[in-house]
Structure formats: C-alpha cells, structure tokens
Amino acid sequence: KAIHQNSKRKYFPIITVNCGALSESLLESELFGHEKGAFTGAHFRRKGKFEIANGGSIFLDEIGSISQKTQVDLLRIIETKKFNRVGGNELVSSDFRLITATNEPLEKLIDDGKFRKDLYYRLNVITITLPPLRERKQDIQLLANYFLKKYSELMNKDVNGFSSNAMNFLLNYEFPGNVRELENTIERAIVIGKGYRVELEDLSLDNGGVNLNYDDDMAGSLQDVEREYIIK
C-alpha cells in the first residue's frame, strides 16, 4: 500500500489477491476473469483482478503457492501485459504494477522444482526483505499502541494504555504470527478487558481458569493458552 500510495498510480485501484487461499482453477478465474459459459456456474462475463487493476497496482500475496500452469500464465502477462479471460479468445491488455510477497524462500522452491526459475528472475526486480516482528522488537510498542487506539475507538471502550506486566509480555513474546498475531492479541484484549488499561490476563484467550505463569521465555506460551482453551 505504501508503494502504491507513493506512486503516480495512487489515483487508480490497488488490488490484493491471496494466492494461497484459492485452488488453481479459482485463482485463474480470479486473476484473468472468465467469459460467460466458460465453466459450470459462469453465467456472465467477469473481469479478473489484472483487468480491474489497469492503471494501478496488483498485489499477489503468497506467490510461492501458485501452480506451475498459473506460473506460465503469470510469466506471459508480466512479459506482454496481455492475457485471455478463461474460456475466451479476446486479448485483453492491462497496465499494472505487480507486487508480490512470499513467506517461503523462492530459491528453495526452485531447487525443489516447485517454482519456475524464469518467473523468479522476472519477478525479482526490486526485493524488499521484511524481517519478522521478533527481529524488530523496537516496533512492538509502537504497533501495540496503534492497535490499542484503533480497537478501543472501534469498540467505544476507554482503554488508554498497558500495564507494565502486559507490555513486558508483548516485548518478550516471539510472535510467530508476526504483526497479524500482535493485532489479534490486542483486539482480543480490548474485547475481554474491563479496565482502563490492558492487563497481563487480558492477553490470554481465557480470562479465567487459565493460569498464566509467564517467565522470560515467552515463545509458544500464547499458543499453549489457546490450545488449552480450545480443548476445554
């Protein structure tokens, strides 16, 4: 979003697609669109994400999960900026900026034969490495306060800070789920909390009946609480 908003394309749409959440056939239809009658249930022509992103940007998340066939189609559209809708013969053009993301090293997927080397080199124009949250602890307090403000306003609750124990927990936790996990943790704390600040016990899934004996090694503790809560 920052790349898009700081470019001349900001007046056009930015389209996001989670490639890991869709099957091969659904992903092709989602990306390239389809013609009426292209398959069962295709009752009308539908524009794909690349077509909608004309003039703007398209962000493909989890790019490493796409199939070999879709990789070939993607390579073609990157090279030519042209494509066919599923079930159609008309050549559609689109002027887009492509941004992709992956949580798996594509080089390893290439070695395993799961990702095309030519597509990798075509995508790898400018690479930005985003370190996990556990490697940038200085961001945790800033992000936590941002999410606190966001969700306290959204839920109309007067929560204005964290107890020292709660913040120490956040600063020492490894956050295997990165920023999404931090956001969910704060949102949950706002939901179940009853005071004017977030307390340590508010950071658990179960506000009662779960013994939170945290020590310096916080890795995995929140998952353990969640597991115990689900089992109950």
Side-chain angles (χ1 to χ4, degrees):
K1 287 180 180 178
I3 292 170
H4 178 76
Q5 291 299 328
N6 286 279
S7 73
K8 294 179 180 179
R9 296 179 179 269
K10 64 182 178 181
Y11 302 108
F12 296 89
I14 176 170
I15 306 298
T16 299
V17 181
N18 184 355
C19 300
L22 300 171
S23 66
E24 178 183 308
S25 58
L26 285 175
L27 181 60
E28 285 193 344
S29 177
E30 190 77 7
L31 294 178
F32 309 121
H34 61 255
E35 297 288 351
K36 180 179 179 181
F39 49 83
T40 303
H43 300 302
F44 51 85
R45 171 188 283 182
R46 181 174 182 269
K47 289 184 177 181
K49 300 302 188 185
F50 276 108
E51 192 170 352
I52 297 172
N54 185 32
S57 306
I58 182 166
F59 171 49
L60 303 184
D61 201 4
E62 301 299 344
I63 189 69
S65 65
I66 64 175
S67 68
Q68 291 281 342
K69 181 181 182 304
T70 307
Q71 289 177 38
V72 173
D73 294 335
L74 189 57
L75 182 60
R76 178 192 175 200
I77 191 173
I78 294 172
E79 293 284 357
T80 66
K81 298 293 180 78
K82 296 179 180 180
F83 59 95
N84 299 102
R85 300 187 190 96
V86 176
N89 297 315
E90 178 187 354
L91 206 56
V92 182
S93 298
S94 180
D95 173 27
F96 56 86
R97 163 179 280 149
L98 178 63
I99 305 171
T100 64
T102 177
N103 63 1
E104 296 182 81
L106 294 183
E107 297 88 345
K108 183 178 184 304
L109 295 179
I110 291 171
D111 292 340
D112 295 341
K114 297 178 180 178
F115 202 84
R116 293 178 62 96
K117 186 180 290 187
D118 50 359
L119 177 58
Y120 169 75
Y121 287 122
R122 194 65 188 85
L123 292 171
N124 192 23
V125 179
I126 297 176
T127 299
I128 301 174
T129 301
L130 298 177
L133 192 56
R134 63 180 174 272
E135 293 180 11
R136 44 191 176 102
K137 297 282 190 178
Q138 70 276 10
D139 289 348
I140 291 176
Q141 187 166 356
L142 178 69
L143 289 166
N145 285 321
Y146 168 77
F147 293 133
L148 178 78
K149 183 175 184 295
K150 173 182 176 180
Y151 287 107
S152 59
E153 290 179 354
L154 186 65
M155 299 172 195
N156 197 27
K157 298 184 77 170
D158 187 16
V159 185
N160 52 34
F162 296 85
S163 70
S164 57
N165 286 337
M167 183 53 67
N168 285 334
F169 164 77
L170 294 174
L171 292 173
N172 286 284
Y173 184 60
E174 291 296 310
F175 286 105
N178 286 306
V179 177
R180 288 190 184 96
E181 184 178 8
L182 173 60
E183 180 174 8
N184 292 340
T185 300
I186 303 304
E187 181 182 10
R188 181 169 61 247
I190 300 297
V191 170
I192 67 177
K194 295 184 173 66
Y196 291 98
R197 64 179 184 176
V198 173
E199 301 291 344
L200 178 59
E201 55 267 25
D202 298 332
L203 300 177
S204 71
L205 282 172
D206 189 353
N207 200 28
V210 177
N211 185 21
L212 300 176
N213 294 317
Y214 297 119
D215 53 26
D216 291 336
D217 183 13
M218 304 307 294
S221 58
L222 197 58
Q223 294 94 313
D224 295 339
V225 173
E226 182 176 7
R227 181 176 183 276
E228 183 175 345
Y229 180 75
I230 292 171
I231 290 172
K232 282 188 176 182

